[in-house]
Amino acid sequence: MEKIYSRSDVLLDANMGYCPGCLHGVIAKIVAEVIEELGIRDDTIAVLPIGCGALISSVLDTDAIIALHGRAPAVATGLKRTATEKFIFAYQGDGDLASIGLAEIMHAANRGENFPVLFVNNGIFGMTGGQMAPTTLIGQKATTAKSGRTPLEGYPMHMCEIISTLKAPVYIERCSLDSPQHILAAKKAIKKAFMNEIEGKGFSFIELLSNCPTNWSMSPQKSLEYMREHTIAEFPLGVYRDETAKED
Amino acid sequence: MEQRMKIAGIGGQGVMVTGKILGYAASDHDKFASFLPQYGTQMRGGTSSCTLIIADEEIGSPIVSTADLMMIFQQSALDTYIHQLKSGGLLFINSNTCKVPERKDIKVIALPVDDLAKEMGSKQVANIIMLGAYVAETKTFTIEEIVHTLQHVFETKPQVWEINEKAILKGVSLIES
Amino acid sequence: MSKLFMKGNEAIAEAAVRAGCRFFAGYPITPQNEIPEYLSKRLPEVGGAFVQGESELASINMVIGAAFGGTRAMTSSSGPGLSLKSEGLSTLAAAGFPAVVVNVMRGGPGTGSISGAQMDYLQATKGGGHGGFKLLVFAPSTVQEAVDLVYEAFDKSWEYMNPCLILADGFIGSIMEPVELPPFKEAKRQEFPVYTTRFFTDKPGRRMCATMIVNEAEQEQWNRVQAQRYERIAQNEVRAEEYMLDDAEYVIAAYGTSARVAKSAVRMLREKGIKAGLIRPITLWPFPYQCFKKLNEKQVKDILCLELSIPPQLIEDIKIGIEGRIPITAYGRSAGMIFTAEEVTEQVEKLVGKNK
């Protein structure tokens, strides 16, 4: 019988530690598949965040460094500028990237550093227990916004749009993980972003809309419905910049 | 030998350059030297001063509170620092901008270096004329040694080398004549 | 070999390049700006990389990245910047990464004055960040010594796999002196085993750095490993200069620029017939306690702790060394004000008067 699907070799047979229904595991899977397909496993160094995103280190069979909270783009800058033959990617959550690490992401993007950043936006601080993130929707509840976020706490920050104001980035796209169709599109975007580094084209930014059933206090199924109804409505999917398309 | 000196004036008079050239000369000729600049808060036109120590042995304190020697290019700087010159000390002043002070316990060498520089065709070499006078008077370096160092300093600016060489020799001649 | 007449900050930068430093990231702050300015031009000439970081935080984290990749890397700053970098310093130490960090000290606390001072002794040796880590701290007192210590700091940080701090001050940074530069080293990028790998997850053949070790037993085990490393450094790296101590009745204790002024004062006091001497710690951690422990209380009447800091900070370590056997008096200036040798001489003469 022909084998048409198997688990990626880049994924170790270990416990990821994610809650049931969490889409982080899906990202780990598609990132591993892309690394395998591009044949770059031994050259890859993942620069991981503080937060749930760091847990992919336990399954992703590549070199990795967990950066301090918010500093992954700075660590990746130091690495890529010196270890130029390595394949570097940064992986950050919304608290990490859009709150404490806002300066680092903006300036790495502005310098057009030659690595991609995968930005996982699930609108909440997951690991610390459900506090409000810069991307939490107005009305969405958090342990530090018990009646739901109000404009007093600011509005959800649209990182793709903000980064699109900069000149240097070559590729910016927002994807979602709520459906198989969207996951396939996300994988395609990640592969393209990784190729941009390999081809020396510069900085790519992929935002991945995700969920957090535990801290959203929803069943996994319900969380996907919430994403479709609210999250995607707030954060429109699509390509915000593609300089590489112009070249082709 | 340890010579502790203060060089002072206002920005644009070449105070720092003068101190550095003496430091380069000391370094080139196996002496110890320590140059400490003091900048005012103004980027241009404010007081400018530096301390320079030249010695045969390793230098302890880089701070000059009592100077053996002073090179002063502006009256305001002279007023500020004259009391820090030791009794028996040596004072070089630009007589175009400074009045000879009343102190009788020091040796004063007053030279109209601004006028002399203008006569030579470049206002900017006034400090180099003073430097020539310093070398001739103190013999801290030989004329050959200071010319050798200056050659290095102006290596990248050959267009101004000739006038600076003339200026240093002019300064020497003021003392030796 | 002929000497070059160089400014302290530039000499520090060139010494780093010659020691094989091929990455620098830093943020502008006075009085250390000539270090990044110099390296922005110099590093590309030798195939290295310079990045002006968007912040102190970004800069130290870029150094963490470069260090992980096996590159000899450095950052520099002054007091307030070191405070911002402290989480990164803690992480470098926690990960067991080699790197060199330069603090050209200025006035403080807070934003402080921009002139030279020695306000960061306790930060460098006792605090410096969370988690109880240690940095090997070198305190140069001349431009030549700054060059020699920076050059050596890279080797030492790789030998112990621990970050090394150069605690200079604004005077050493801005002073120009003749220096003999060490030979140029072509340090190749060298990936080292990352110790935290085995504590976090088992991935044979992979380099994995996580200073977050959630398993308590593993964190404790790693703390023990680090404590042993600190013990080795403390055993092997203590350095101090003793000057005219043999018959000294009055001992000045000072490091860096203060120690130079102290040395001049000792010479002046000796000319006046006062038996003065100097202990100059060169490593501030590990501290040369032994120099103080061995002072004979029957001979030494007083110790003057001389520092460009108000209140005094160095005195905390002198007290540990002296164990209450000899009186210690502190004299300090701060904020860019600096004592003259005459002023220090007067302070010692006061102590002589007190003992009569």
Side-chain angles (χ1 to χ4, degrees), chain B residues 20 23-24 27 31 33-37 58-63 65, chain C residues 3-5 142 171 174-178 260-261 264 267 338 340 342:
Chain B
K20 280 187 207 174
Y24 290 130
S27 184
K31 288 181 162 65
S34 189
F35 166 84
L36 186 61
E58 199 187 355
I59 294 160
S61 173
I63 309 304
S65 48
Chain C
K3 289 187 174 181
L4 293 172
F5 192 60
T142 64
F171 291 100
S174 60
I175 209 166
M176 288 180 84
E177 292 185 316
R260 301 179 60 150
V261 181
S264 290
R267 287 177 199 153
I338 182 167
T340 62
E342 291 82 356

PDB file of all heavy atoms in Angstrom, chain B residues 20 23-24 27 31 33-37 58-63 65, chain C residues 3-5 142 171 174-178 260-261 264 267 338 340 342:
ATOM      1  N   LYS B  20      47.230  67.028  21.970  1.00  0.00           N
ATOM      2  CA  LYS B  20      47.386  65.697  21.357  1.00  0.00           C
ATOM      3  C   LYS B  20      48.732  65.569  20.637  1.00  0.00           C
ATOM      4  O   LYS B  20      49.379  64.523  20.717  1.00  0.00           O
ATOM      5  CB  LYS B  20      46.260  65.438  20.360  1.00  0.00           C
ATOM      6  CG  LYS B  20      44.957  65.011  21.013  1.00  0.00           C
ATOM      7  CD  LYS B  20      43.945  64.607  19.945  1.00  0.00           C
ATOM      8  CE  LYS B  20      42.532  64.811  20.455  1.00  0.00           C
ATOM      9  NZ  LYS B  20      41.540  64.577  19.415  1.00  0.00           N
ATOM     10  N   GLY B  23      51.252  64.793  23.005  1.00  0.00           N
ATOM     11  CA  GLY B  23      51.081  63.393  23.420  1.00  0.00           C
ATOM     12  C   GLY B  23      51.651  62.430  22.388  1.00  0.00           C
ATOM     13  O   GLY B  23      52.361  61.486  22.726  1.00  0.00           O
ATOM     14  N   TYR B  24      51.359  62.717  21.108  1.00  0.00           N
ATOM     15  CA  TYR B  24      51.908  61.872  20.034  1.00  0.00           C
ATOM     16  C   TYR B  24      53.437  61.908  20.077  1.00  0.00           C
ATOM     17  O   TYR B  24      54.098  60.879  19.933  1.00  0.00           O
ATOM     18  CB  TYR B  24      51.437  62.364  18.652  1.00  0.00           C
ATOM     19  CG  TYR B  24      49.968  62.143  18.371  1.00  0.00           C
ATOM     20  CD1 TYR B  24      49.162  63.195  17.907  1.00  0.00           C
ATOM     21  CD2 TYR B  24      49.369  60.900  18.536  1.00  0.00           C
ATOM     22  CE1 TYR B  24      47.815  63.014  17.635  1.00  0.00           C
ATOM     23  CE2 TYR B  24      48.027  60.705  18.266  1.00  0.00           C
ATOM     24  CZ  TYR B  24      47.247  61.762  17.818  1.00  0.00           C
ATOM     25  OH  TYR B  24      45.921  61.568  17.553  1.00  0.00           O
ATOM     26  N   SER B  27      54.693  59.838  22.895  1.00  0.00           N
ATOM     27  CA  SER B  27      54.498  58.430  22.579  1.00  0.00           C
ATOM     28  C   SER B  27      55.513  57.952  21.543  1.00  0.00           C
ATOM     29  O   SER B  27      56.094  56.875  21.665  1.00  0.00           O
ATOM     30  CB  SER B  27      53.072  58.248  22.074  1.00  0.00           C
ATOM     31  OG  SER B  27      52.795  56.900  21.834  1.00  0.00           O
ATOM     32  N   LYS B  31      58.346  58.259  25.715  1.00  0.00           N
ATOM     33  CA  LYS B  31      58.044  58.862  27.009  1.00  0.00           C
ATOM     34  C   LYS B  31      56.621  58.453  27.401  1.00  0.00           C
ATOM     35  O   LYS B  31      55.816  58.055  26.562  1.00  0.00           O
ATOM     36  CB  LYS B  31      58.137  60.389  26.899  1.00  0.00           C
ATOM     37  CG  LYS B  31      59.564  60.922  26.762  1.00  0.00           C
ATOM     38  CD  LYS B  31      59.540  62.441  26.688  1.00  0.00           C
ATOM     39  CE  LYS B  31      60.887  63.062  26.982  1.00  0.00           C
ATOM     40  NZ  LYS B  31      61.936  62.737  26.000  1.00  0.00           N
ATOM     41  N   ALA B  33      52.928  59.574  28.615  1.00  0.00           N
ATOM     42  CA  ALA B  33      52.119  60.774  28.430  1.00  0.00           C
ATOM     43  C   ALA B  33      50.677  60.459  28.783  1.00  0.00           C
ATOM     44  O   ALA B  33      50.220  59.325  28.660  1.00  0.00           O
ATOM     45  CB  ALA B  33      52.203  61.255  26.990  1.00  0.00           C
ATOM     46  N   SER B  34      49.979  61.485  29.226  1.00  0.00           N
ATOM     47  CA  SER B  34      48.578  61.313  29.558  1.00  0.00           C
ATOM     48  C   SER B  34      47.850  62.599  29.200  1.00  0.00           C
ATOM     49  O   SER B  34      48.209  63.666  29.672  1.00  0.00           O
ATOM     50  CB  SER B  34      48.483  61.021  31.063  1.00  0.00           C
ATOM     51  OG  SER B  34      47.178  60.646  31.386  1.00  0.00           O
ATOM     52  N   PHE B  35      46.867  62.475  28.313  1.00  0.00           N
ATOM     53  CA  PHE B  35      46.126  63.642  27.817  1.00  0.00           C
ATOM     54  C   PHE B  35      44.669  63.512  28.244  1.00  0.00           C
ATOM     55  O   PHE B  35      44.016  62.509  27.954  1.00  0.00           O
ATOM     56  CB  PHE B  35      46.230  63.669  26.289  1.00  0.00           C
ATOM     57  CG  PHE B  35      45.263  64.606  25.606  1.00  0.00           C
ATOM     58  CD1 PHE B  35      45.561  65.956  25.464  1.00  0.00           C
ATOM     59  CD2 PHE B  35      44.058  64.136  25.100  1.00  0.00           C
ATOM     60  CE1 PHE B  35      44.662  66.819  24.829  1.00  0.00           C
ATOM     61  CE2 PHE B  35      43.162  64.980  24.469  1.00  0.00           C
ATOM     62  CZ  PHE B  35      43.473  66.326  24.332  1.00  0.00           C
ATOM     63  N   LEU B  36      44.192  64.513  28.965  1.00  0.00           N
ATOM     64  CA  LEU B  36      42.799  64.454  29.437  1.00  0.00           C
ATOM     65  C   LEU B  36      42.059  65.708  28.976  1.00  0.00           C
ATOM     66  O   LEU B  36      42.381  66.817  29.411  1.00  0.00           O
ATOM     67  CB  LEU B  36      42.781  64.344  30.965  1.00  0.00           C
ATOM     68  CG  LEU B  36      41.422  64.129  31.629  1.00  0.00           C
ATOM     69  CD1 LEU B  36      40.767  62.835  31.185  1.00  0.00           C
ATOM     70  CD2 LEU B  36      41.572  64.119  33.152  1.00  0.00           C
ATOM     71  N   PRO B  37      41.110  65.559  28.075  1.00  0.00           N
ATOM     72  CA  PRO B  37      40.391  66.738  27.571  1.00  0.00           C
ATOM     73  C   PRO B  37      39.268  67.159  28.525  1.00  0.00           C
ATOM     74  O   PRO B  37      38.690  66.327  29.205  1.00  0.00           O
ATOM     75  CB  PRO B  37      39.792  66.221  26.257  1.00  0.00           C
ATOM     76  CG  PRO B  37      39.602  64.759  26.473  1.00  0.00           C
ATOM     77  CD  PRO B  37      40.656  64.318  27.454  1.00  0.00           C
ATOM     78  N   GLU B  58      56.062  55.932  34.734  1.00  0.00           N
ATOM     79  CA  GLU B  58      54.615  55.755  34.647  1.00  0.00           C
ATOM     80  C   GLU B  58      53.884  56.852  35.415  1.00  0.00           C
ATOM     81  O   GLU B  58      54.282  57.220  36.517  1.00  0.00           O
ATOM     82  CB  GLU B  58      54.214  54.384  35.204  1.00  0.00           C
ATOM     83  CG  GLU B  58      52.834  53.982  34.729  1.00  0.00           C
ATOM     84  CD  GLU B  58      52.302  52.715  35.384  1.00  0.00           C
ATOM     85  OE1 GLU B  58      53.038  52.069  36.152  1.00  0.00           O
ATOM     86  OE2 GLU B  58      51.145  52.385  35.106  1.00  0.00           O
ATOM     87  N   ILE B  59      52.823  57.349  34.801  1.00  0.00           N
ATOM     88  CA  ILE B  59      52.117  58.491  35.372  1.00  0.00           C
ATOM     89  C   ILE B  59      51.046  58.028  36.349  1.00  0.00           C
ATOM     90  O   ILE B  59      50.247  57.146  36.034  1.00  0.00           O
ATOM     91  CB  ILE B  59      51.498  59.339  34.236  1.00  0.00           C
ATOM     92  CG1 ILE B  59      52.631  59.950  33.398  1.00  0.00           C
ATOM     93  CG2 ILE B  59      50.586  60.429  34.788  1.00  0.00           C
ATOM     94  CD1 ILE B  59      52.204  60.386  32.025  1.00  0.00           C
ATOM     95  N   GLY B  60      51.055  58.625  37.541  1.00  0.00           N
ATOM     96  CA  GLY B  60      50.013  58.321  38.533  1.00  0.00           C
ATOM     97  C   GLY B  60      48.776  59.110  38.179  1.00  0.00           C
ATOM     98  O   GLY B  60      48.121  58.848  37.166  1.00  0.00           O
ATOM     99  N   SER B  61      48.467  60.084  38.984  1.00  0.00           N
ATOM    100  CA  SER B  61      47.257  60.862  38.767  1.00  0.00           C
ATOM    101  C   SER B  61      47.285  61.584  37.420  1.00  0.00           C
ATOM    102  O   SER B  61      48.242  62.275  37.103  1.00  0.00           O
ATOM    103  CB  SER B  61      47.100  61.898  39.872  1.00  0.00           C
ATOM    104  OG  SER B  61      46.021  62.746  39.548  1.00  0.00           O
ATOM    105  N   PRO B  62      46.235  61.415  36.620  1.00  0.00           N
ATOM    106  CA  PRO B  62      46.156  62.142  35.345  1.00  0.00           C
ATOM    107  C   PRO B  62      45.590  63.549  35.529  1.00  0.00           C
ATOM    108  O   PRO B  62      45.400  64.275  34.570  1.00  0.00           O
ATOM    109  CB  PRO B  62      45.187  61.272  34.525  1.00  0.00           C
ATOM    110  CG  PRO B  62      44.292  60.653  35.546  1.00  0.00           C
ATOM    111  CD  PRO B  62      45.083  60.507  36.813  1.00  0.00           C
ATOM    112  N   ILE B  63      45.317  63.916  36.783  1.00  0.00           N
ATOM    113  CA  ILE B  63      44.710  65.217  37.061  1.00  0.00           C
ATOM    114  C   ILE B  63      45.820  66.226  37.373  1.00  0.00           C
ATOM    115  O   ILE B  63      46.733  65.928  38.134  1.00  0.00           O
ATOM    116  CB  ILE B  63      43.775  65.116  38.295  1.00  0.00           C
ATOM    117  CG1 ILE B  63      42.803  63.960  38.125  1.00  0.00           C
ATOM    118  CG2 ILE B  63      43.058  66.430  38.552  1.00  0.00           C
ATOM    119  CD1 ILE B  63      41.962  64.006  36.882  1.00  0.00           C
ATOM    120  N   SER B  65      46.411  69.593  39.124  1.00  0.00           N
ATOM    121  CA  SER B  65      45.837  70.650  39.971  1.00  0.00           C
ATOM    122  C   SER B  65      46.816  71.812  40.071  1.00  0.00           C
ATOM    123  O   SER B  65      46.424  72.959  40.115  1.00  0.00           O
ATOM    124  CB  SER B  65      45.512  70.102  41.353  1.00  0.00           C
ATOM    125  OG  SER B  65      46.601  69.373  41.861  1.00  0.00           O
TER     126      SER B  65
ATOM    127  N   LYS C   3      54.704  52.520  20.092  1.00  0.00           N
ATOM    128  CA  LYS C   3      53.436  52.705  20.780  1.00  0.00           C
ATOM    129  C   LYS C   3      52.545  53.672  20.002  1.00  0.00           C
ATOM    130  O   LYS C   3      53.028  54.520  19.267  1.00  0.00           O
ATOM    131  CB  LYS C   3      53.715  53.249  22.182  1.00  0.00           C
ATOM    132  CG  LYS C   3      54.333  52.204  23.088  1.00  0.00           C
ATOM    133  CD  LYS C   3      54.453  52.710  24.506  1.00  0.00           C
ATOM    134  CE  LYS C   3      54.941  51.584  25.408  1.00  0.00           C
ATOM    135  NZ  LYS C   3      55.058  52.009  26.808  1.00  0.00           N
ATOM    136  N   LEU C   4      51.248  53.507  20.222  1.00  0.00           N
ATOM    137  CA  LEU C   4      50.287  54.428  19.624  1.00  0.00           C
ATOM    138  C   LEU C   4      49.688  55.271  20.737  1.00  0.00           C
ATOM    139  O   LEU C   4      49.511  54.787  21.852  1.00  0.00           O
ATOM    140  CB  LEU C   4      49.178  53.657  18.924  1.00  0.00           C
ATOM    141  CG  LEU C   4      49.581  52.869  17.697  1.00  0.00           C
ATOM    142  CD1 LEU C   4      48.413  52.012  17.229  1.00  0.00           C
ATOM    143  CD2 LEU C   4      50.002  53.821  16.579  1.00  0.00           C
ATOM    144  N   PHE C   5      49.406  56.527  20.445  1.00  0.00           N
ATOM    145  CA  PHE C   5      48.805  57.412  21.433  1.00  0.00           C
ATOM    146  C   PHE C   5      47.299  57.364  21.203  1.00  0.00           C
ATOM    147  O   PHE C   5      46.798  57.912  20.231  1.00  0.00           O
ATOM    148  CB  PHE C   5      49.356  58.818  21.230  1.00  0.00           C
ATOM    149  CG  PHE C   5      49.035  59.768  22.348  1.00  0.00           C
ATOM    150  CD1 PHE C   5      49.469  59.512  23.645  1.00  0.00           C
ATOM    151  CD2 PHE C   5      48.313  60.929  22.106  1.00  0.00           C
ATOM    152  CE1 PHE C   5      49.191  60.411  24.669  1.00  0.00           C
ATOM    153  CE2 PHE C   5      48.039  61.821  23.130  1.00  0.00           C
ATOM    154  CZ  PHE C   5      48.474  61.556  24.411  1.00  0.00           C
ATOM    155  N   THR C 142      44.800  52.182  33.723  1.00  0.00           N
ATOM    156  CA  THR C 142      45.457  52.972  32.669  1.00  0.00           C
ATOM    157  C   THR C 142      44.905  52.483  31.328  1.00  0.00           C
ATOM    158  O   THR C 142      44.279  51.422  31.257  1.00  0.00           O
ATOM    159  CB  THR C 142      46.991  52.759  32.652  1.00  0.00           C
ATOM    160  OG1 THR C 142      47.244  51.389  32.332  1.00  0.00           O
ATOM    161  CG2 THR C 142      47.623  53.091  33.985  1.00  0.00           C
ATOM    162  N   PHE C 171      36.969  58.639  32.933  1.00  0.00           N
ATOM    163  CA  PHE C 171      38.318  59.203  32.801  1.00  0.00           C
ATOM    164  C   PHE C 171      39.160  58.288  31.913  1.00  0.00           C
ATOM    165  O   PHE C 171      39.816  58.745  30.985  1.00  0.00           O
ATOM    166  CB  PHE C 171      38.969  59.381  34.178  1.00  0.00           C
ATOM    167  CG  PHE C 171      38.305  60.457  34.989  1.00  0.00           C
ATOM    168  CD1 PHE C 171      37.388  60.147  35.968  1.00  0.00           C
ATOM    169  CD2 PHE C 171      38.565  61.806  34.725  1.00  0.00           C
ATOM    170  CE1 PHE C 171      36.746  61.135  36.701  1.00  0.00           C
ATOM    171  CE2 PHE C 171      37.926  62.808  35.444  1.00  0.00           C
ATOM    172  CZ  PHE C 171      37.011  62.477  36.440  1.00  0.00           C
ATOM    173  N   SER C 174      38.134  58.572  28.282  1.00  0.00           N
ATOM    174  CA  SER C 174      38.423  59.778  27.491  1.00  0.00           C
ATOM    175  C   SER C 174      39.895  60.169  27.489  1.00  0.00           C
ATOM    176  O   SER C 174      40.325  61.006  26.697  1.00  0.00           O
ATOM    177  CB  SER C 174      37.573  60.952  27.994  1.00  0.00           C
ATOM    178  OG  SER C 174      37.865  61.205  29.346  1.00  0.00           O
ATOM    179  N   ILE C 175      40.673  59.551  28.369  1.00  0.00           N
ATOM    180  CA  ILE C 175      42.084  59.915  28.441  1.00  0.00           C
ATOM    181  C   ILE C 175      42.835  59.320  27.238  1.00  0.00           C
ATOM    182  O   ILE C 175      42.444  58.288  26.696  1.00  0.00           O
ATOM    183  CB  ILE C 175      42.660  59.383  29.784  1.00  0.00           C
ATOM    184  CG1 ILE C 175      43.805  60.237  30.270  1.00  0.00           C
ATOM    185  CG2 ILE C 175      43.070  57.932  29.685  1.00  0.00           C
ATOM    186  CD1 ILE C 175      44.137  59.942  31.713  1.00  0.00           C
ATOM    187  N   MET C 176      43.895  60.020  26.812  1.00  0.00           N
ATOM    188  CA  MET C 176      44.764  59.459  25.759  1.00  0.00           C
ATOM    189  C   MET C 176      46.114  59.138  26.376  1.00  0.00           C
ATOM    190  O   MET C 176      46.678  59.958  27.106  1.00  0.00           O
ATOM    191  CB  MET C 176      44.950  60.462  24.616  1.00  0.00           C
ATOM    192  CG  MET C 176      43.720  60.652  23.763  1.00  0.00           C
ATOM    193  SD  MET C 176      43.998  61.844  22.432  1.00  0.00           S
ATOM    194  CE  MET C 176      44.762  60.790  21.185  1.00  0.00           C
ATOM    195  N   GLU C 177      46.613  57.948  26.067  1.00  0.00           N
ATOM    196  CA  GLU C 177      47.923  57.537  26.570  1.00  0.00           C
ATOM    197  C   GLU C 177      48.599  56.649  25.525  1.00  0.00           C
ATOM    198  O   GLU C 177      47.917  56.065  24.685  1.00  0.00           O
ATOM    199  CB  GLU C 177      47.770  56.752  27.897  1.00  0.00           C
ATOM    200  CG  GLU C 177      47.281  57.629  29.027  1.00  0.00           C
ATOM    201  CD  GLU C 177      47.238  56.932  30.384  1.00  0.00           C
ATOM    202  OE1 GLU C 177      46.791  55.790  30.481  1.00  0.00           O
ATOM    203  OE2 GLU C 177      47.667  57.568  31.348  1.00  0.00           O
ATOM    204  N   PRO C 178      49.930  56.552  25.620  1.00  0.00           N
ATOM    205  CA  PRO C 178      50.613  55.641  24.681  1.00  0.00           C
ATOM    206  C   PRO C 178      50.281  54.191  25.035  1.00  0.00           C
ATOM    207  O   PRO C 178      50.268  53.827  26.208  1.00  0.00           O
ATOM    208  CB  PRO C 178      52.103  55.912  24.942  1.00  0.00           C
ATOM    209  CG  PRO C 178      52.152  57.158  25.752  1.00  0.00           C
ATOM    210  CD  PRO C 178      50.860  57.241  26.508  1.00  0.00           C
ATOM    211  N   ARG C 260      45.158  55.527  40.536  1.00  0.00           N
ATOM    212  CA  ARG C 260      46.283  56.306  39.969  1.00  0.00           C
ATOM    213  C   ARG C 260      46.551  57.530  40.815  1.00  0.00           C
ATOM    214  O   ARG C 260      47.701  57.887  41.067  1.00  0.00           O
ATOM    215  CB  ARG C 260      45.949  56.756  38.546  1.00  0.00           C
ATOM    216  CG  ARG C 260      45.654  55.636  37.615  1.00  0.00           C
ATOM    217  CD  ARG C 260      45.325  56.186  36.267  1.00  0.00           C
ATOM    218  NE  ARG C 260      46.448  56.963  35.757  1.00  0.00           N
ATOM    219  CZ  ARG C 260      46.709  57.083  34.464  1.00  0.00           C
ATOM    220  NH1 ARG C 260      45.936  56.471  33.590  1.00  0.00           N
ATOM    221  NH2 ARG C 260      47.725  57.798  34.054  1.00  0.00           N
ATOM    222  N   VAL C 261      45.465  58.192  41.210  1.00  0.00           N
ATOM    223  CA  VAL C 261      45.624  59.378  42.056  1.00  0.00           C
ATOM    224  C   VAL C 261      46.244  58.945  43.382  1.00  0.00           C
ATOM    225  O   VAL C 261      47.140  59.598  43.916  1.00  0.00           O
ATOM    226  CB  VAL C 261      44.269  60.084  42.277  1.00  0.00           C
ATOM    227  CG1 VAL C 261      44.454  61.325  43.127  1.00  0.00           C
ATOM    228  CG2 VAL C 261      43.623  60.429  40.938  1.00  0.00           C
ATOM    229  N   SER C 264      50.023  58.508  43.163  1.00  0.00           N
ATOM    230  CA  SER C 264      50.723  59.794  43.257  1.00  0.00           C
ATOM    231  C   SER C 264      50.746  60.268  44.698  1.00  0.00           C
ATOM    232  O   SER C 264      51.761  60.787  45.183  1.00  0.00           O
ATOM    233  CB  SER C 264      50.031  60.852  42.388  1.00  0.00           C
ATOM    234  OG  SER C 264      50.214  60.552  41.029  1.00  0.00           O
ATOM    235  N   ARG C 267      53.340  58.472  46.764  1.00  0.00           N
ATOM    236  CA  ARG C 267      54.691  59.005  46.510  1.00  0.00           C
ATOM    237  C   ARG C 267      54.899  60.314  47.277  1.00  0.00           C
ATOM    238  O   ARG C 267      55.941  60.538  47.876  1.00  0.00           O
ATOM    239  CB  ARG C 267      54.902  59.249  45.017  1.00  0.00           C
ATOM    240  CG  ARG C 267      55.067  57.963  44.211  1.00  0.00           C
ATOM    241  CD  ARG C 267      55.196  58.284  42.726  1.00  0.00           C
ATOM    242  NE  ARG C 267      54.912  57.107  41.906  1.00  0.00           N
ATOM    243  CZ  ARG C 267      54.441  57.149  40.669  1.00  0.00           C
ATOM    244  NH1 ARG C 267      54.188  58.321  40.089  1.00  0.00           N
ATOM    245  NH2 ARG C 267      54.220  56.040  39.997  1.00  0.00           N
ATOM    246  N   ILE C 338      36.807  65.084  40.710  1.00  0.00           N
ATOM    247  CA  ILE C 338      37.842  64.100  41.028  1.00  0.00           C
ATOM    248  C   ILE C 338      38.848  64.695  42.005  1.00  0.00           C
ATOM    249  O   ILE C 338      39.175  65.879  41.913  1.00  0.00           O
ATOM    250  CB  ILE C 338      38.532  63.565  39.746  1.00  0.00           C
ATOM    251  CG1 ILE C 338      39.578  62.504  40.105  1.00  0.00           C
ATOM    252  CG2 ILE C 338      39.088  64.671  38.890  1.00  0.00           C
ATOM    253  CD1 ILE C 338      40.082  61.702  38.906  1.00  0.00           C
ATOM    254  N   THR C 340      42.385  65.461  43.803  1.00  0.00           N
ATOM    255  CA  THR C 340      43.765  65.600  43.355  1.00  0.00           C
ATOM    256  C   THR C 340      44.636  64.796  44.321  1.00  0.00           C
ATOM    257  O   THR C 340      44.196  64.438  45.413  1.00  0.00           O
ATOM    258  CB  THR C 340      44.210  67.069  43.408  1.00  0.00           C
ATOM    259  OG1 THR C 340      44.141  67.512  44.773  1.00  0.00           O
ATOM    260  CG2 THR C 340      43.292  67.943  42.557  1.00  0.00           C
ATOM    261  N   GLU C 342      47.057  65.935  45.962  1.00  0.00           N
ATOM    262  CA  GLU C 342      47.244  66.771  47.157  1.00  0.00           C
ATOM    263  C   GLU C 342      46.090  66.576  48.138  1.00  0.00           C
ATOM    264  O   GLU C 342      46.285  66.485  49.349  1.00  0.00           O
ATOM    265  CB  GLU C 342      47.338  68.256  46.762  1.00  0.00           C
ATOM    266  CG  GLU C 342      48.607  68.652  46.003  1.00  0.00           C
ATOM    267  CD  GLU C 342      48.547  68.359  44.499  1.00  0.00           C
ATOM    268  OE1 GLU C 342      47.542  67.771  44.038  1.00  0.00           O
ATOM    269  OE2 GLU C 342      49.506  68.710  43.788  1.00  0.00           O
TER     270      GLU C 342
END
